[in-house]
């Protein structure tokens, strides 16, 4: 059974239809890369999966559970949105770290807020906070940030900030980790360090959806590639199918702009 099923998703902003009948599925441990021109609907799709936007039509299922069904108002209750977001960890383009908190505090924050809702939180407060801190330190070590965990975002490079953001997304142990152009805000020399971390996550069978313009990375790391154009999934398949033998002319035109990157 697929860990994620996205069926017939539509999203409109005013008169503009941004997503049009989007369908795909994702298996546990798979890496899916979504490619396409700016404005093709890639980021909106991620925001719908994370319930930062509500689709106008369609259905989203995770582990067989219906998280959203446009035909069922009960699945759209605002009180349930935060719980549903826990299935998806989202790493933004621009880090979105809290500037007043250290790297360690940024990673701990969401888990601490959730812990306060536990019935035994007051009785076990010190123990729970220590568990959260230990887990956050472990994640920052995985990101190569052992020496930087007490630094504030302004004291970190862009690549380091993005690695903190990845650790923060992983802290809640989501079913699916989503990346929205994770290197677009980075200088070229910092891009490699973030892609290396994502590659290591893929090697550990982390289930991921990656919106990216890094074509050689998408080719080498993905199990499945989706090409979006004008709000639609125009073509999807294995990396070799998409990058070596694309069926659609629009896919070929798009990839032509990245030919040097793909040939690396």
């Amino acid at each position: 059974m697929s860990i994620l099923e996205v069926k017939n998703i539509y999203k409109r902003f005013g008169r503009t239809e941004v997503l049009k009948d989007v369908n795909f599925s994702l298996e546990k441990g798979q890496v899916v890369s979504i490619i396409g021109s700016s404005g093709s609907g890639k980021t909106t799709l991620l925001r719908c999966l994370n319930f930062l936007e509500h689709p106008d039509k369609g259905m989203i299922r995770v582990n067989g559970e219906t998280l959203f069904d446009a035909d069922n108002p009960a699945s759209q209750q605002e009180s349930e949105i935060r719980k549903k977001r826990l299935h998806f960890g989202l790493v933004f383009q621009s880090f979105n770290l809290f500037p007043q908190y250290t790297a360690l505090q940024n990673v701990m924050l969401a888990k601490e807020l959730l812990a306060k809702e536990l019935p035994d939180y007051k009785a076990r407060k010190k123990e729970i906070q220590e568990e959260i801190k230990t887990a956050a330190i472990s994640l920052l070590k995985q990101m190569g940030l052992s020496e930087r965990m007490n630094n504030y975002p302004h004291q970190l490079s862009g690549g380091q900030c993005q690695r903190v953001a990845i650790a923060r997304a992983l802290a809640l142990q989501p079913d699916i980790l989503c990346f929205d152009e994770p290197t677009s805000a980075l200088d070229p020399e910092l891009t490699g360090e973030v892609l290396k971390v994502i590659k290591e996550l893929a090697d550990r069978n982390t289930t991921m959806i990656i919106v990216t313009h890094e074509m050689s990375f998408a080719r080498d790391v993905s199990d499945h590639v989706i090409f979006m154009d004008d709000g639609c999934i125009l073509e999807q398949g294995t990396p070799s199918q998409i990058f070596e033998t694309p069926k659609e002319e629009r896919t070929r035109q798009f990839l032509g702009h990245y030919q040097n990157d793909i040939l690396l």
Side-chain angles (χ1 to χ4, degrees):
M1 182 176 67
S2 298
I3 190 172
L4 172 67
E5 298 170 84
V6 176
K7 297 183 177 181
N8 311 118
I9 293 294
Y10 288 78
K11 178 62 182 177
R12 178 187 295 274
F13 293 112
R15 295 182 178 181
T16 304
E17 202 165 38
V18 181
L19 296 176
K20 309 168 187 176
D21 198 21
V22 172
N23 294 268
F24 73 97
S25 62
L26 177 64
E27 302 296 323
K28 185 175 177 60
Q30 266 194 331
V31 177
V32 171
S33 289
I34 304 178
I35 62 174
S37 302
S38 297
S40 60
K42 307 183 302 296
T43 293
T44 300
L45 176 57
L46 282 193
R47 290 177 64 84
C48 284
L49 292 178
N50 201 51
F51 301 100
L52 294 172
E53 303 288 352
H54 283 222
D56 299 315
K57 299 179 184 177
M59 180 185 294
I60 299 169
R61 294 171 62 85
V62 173
N63 289 322
E65 176 189 357
T66 299
L67 300 189
F68 176 87
D69 182 352
D71 295 328
N72 179 9
S75 73
Q76 303 171 44
Q77 295 178 14
E78 288 294 330
S79 59
E80 296 295 308
I81 292 300
R82 187 175 66 171
K83 187 188 301 182
K84 293 175 180 180
R85 282 185 183 144
L86 296 178
H87 292 283
F88 299 91
L90 181 56
V91 179
F92 298 88
Q93 294 181 28
S94 54
F95 324 138
N96 283 20
L97 300 179
F98 291 100
Q100 71 272 33
Y101 296 139
T102 65
L104 181 60
Q105 290 169 331
N106 265 282
V107 176
M108 292 174 61
L109 183 60
K111 203 74 179 285
E112 287 179 323
L113 292 174
L114 286 173
K116 290 178 180 179
E117 299 178 6
L118 296 172
D120 61 345
Y121 176 74
K122 289 184 179 180
R124 296 181 55 238
K125 180 178 178 179
K126 187 174 180 180
E127 177 188 351
I128 290 171
Q129 287 184 330
E130 193 58 38
E131 289 173 356
I132 293 170
K133 183 176 180 179
T134 299
I137 289 172
S138 177
L139 284 170
L140 286 169
K141 285 181 178 179
Q142 288 179 37
M143 298 297 123
L145 294 169
S146 299
E147 306 300 319
R148 296 289 188 174
M149 59 182 67
N150 292 315
N151 287 60
Y152 291 89
H154 75 272
Q155 297 171 317
L156 302 172
S157 71
Q160 290 167 341
C161 283
Q162 193 61 294
R163 283 184 278 155
V164 173
I166 294 170
R168 179 180 61 183
L170 288 168
L172 294 175
Q173 300 176 303
D175 294 301
I176 303 160
L177 188 58
C178 300
F179 293 87
D180 184 15
E181 298 283 8
T183 61
S184 66
L186 301 179
D187 294 331
E189 63 269 22
L190 299 176
T191 294
E193 67 183 58
V194 172
L195 295 181
K196 180 176 180 288
V197 167
I198 301 173
K199 173 66 165 59
E200 290 169 353
L201 291 172
D203 290 342
R204 295 201 291 269
N205 294 318
T206 306
T207 309
M208 294 187 285
I209 301 174
I210 307 170
V211 168
T212 184
H213 278 97
E214 302 288 345
M215 295 300 131
S216 60
F217 178 78
R219 177 200 61 197
D220 296 340
V221 173
S222 307
D223 299 295
H224 193 78
V225 178
I226 292 172
F227 173 65
M228 292 190 68
D229 185 57
D230 193 28
C232 301
I233 293 180
L234 191 62
E235 187 168 1
Q236 58 181 309
T238 65
S240 62
Q241 288 171 332
I242 298 301
F243 290 107
E244 296 172 21
T245 57
K247 296 177 181 178
E248 300 291 335
E249 177 60 27
R250 183 68 190 94
T251 312
R252 290 191 288 270
Q253 290 175 355
F254 172 79
L255 293 175
H257 296 295
Y258 295 91
Q259 198 62 40
N260 291 336
D261 184 31
I262 294 169
L263 291 174
L264 289 176

